[in-house]
Amino acid sequence: RAAWREATGEAWETRFGELKQYRNEHGHCNVPKGQGELGIWVKNQREYYRRGKLDKARVDRLVGIGFLFAGDARAAWREATGEAWETRFGELKQYRNEHGHCKVPAKHGKLGRWVKKQRQHYRKNQLDQARIDRLESIGFLFAGDARAASRKAWGE
């Protein structure tokens, strides 16, 4: 009963609004199931669609904001993370042009967190070679290289 109420009317509109906001912030609609009410709602929309119980108008609205159903979701996740990577890479190039280096402090918002993640992925062997090459092509230093370069720059 509660699930049915959630699927109808005002509750659906509320979650749809939250999904649009999530899309604006993250660049995709693939909310993880573990991400509270919205994650559960997204999972339910896919399930209703699979069972043929999601009204066409809602399907159209969801598709209209980039929501993908069923198996498309994994492909969409890979695409969205690729787009996000490209966005941050562009920001990193701009940062380098303005500051003369790629040593973005971790406290420097999304870009700082992204740079930190690239180093973590590199250390764990989770960064593909094409991305490593692109980062290195703009002077990005990984792991201990960044500390060594910093010491060298300061004459230590």
Side-chain angles (χ1 to χ4, degrees), residues 17-150:
E18 291 172 5
L19 181 60
K20 288 194 301 188
Q21 182 178 347
Y22 183 94
R23 167 98 168 98
N24 291 341
E25 291 173 13
H26 297 90
H28 61 82
C29 296
N30 291 316
V31 182
K33 284 184 265 189
Q35 185 139 345
E37 300 279 326
L38 184 59
I40 293 166
W41 182 84
V42 163
K43 178 183 82 62
N44 289 342
Q45 300 315 296
R46 289 194 174 109
E47 182 64 22
Y48 297 146
Y49 177 79
R50 190 180 66 74
R51 292 182 182 175
K53 295 187 178 204
L54 189 59
D55 151 313
K56 182 175 175 4
R58 288 184 176 174
V59 170
D60 292 344
R61 289 179 69 196
L62 287 164
V63 168
I65 64 166
F67 188 89
L68 294 172
F69 293 95
D72 294 343
R74 277 203 168 89
W77 176 253
R78 286 191 298 273
E79 183 180 315
T81 55
E83 289 173 16
W85 196 93
E86 291 299 330
T87 299
R88 295 289 169 261
F89 182 72
E91 291 172 3
L92 180 59
K93 288 195 300 189
Q94 184 177 353
Y95 182 94
R96 187 222 40 220
N97 291 341
E98 292 171 9
H99 297 90
H101 60 78
C102 296
K103 297 180 300 250
V104 182
K107 294 177 262 187
H108 193 77
K110 288 181 182 180
L111 181 59
R113 288 188 300 275
W114 181 84
V115 163
K116 182 179 177 180
K117 277 282 187 207
Q118 301 316 296
R119 290 193 175 106
Q120 289 172 350
H121 290 317
Y122 177 81
R123 280 195 308 272
K124 294 177 182 177
N125 243 358
Q126 296 173 338
L127 192 60
D128 71 53
Q129 191 60 49
R131 289 184 174 177
I132 292 170
D133 294 345
R134 290 183 67 199
L135 287 164
E136 287 178 338
S137 77
I138 64 166
F140 187 88
L141 299 171
F142 291 98
D145 297 346
R147 286 189 207 98
S150 185

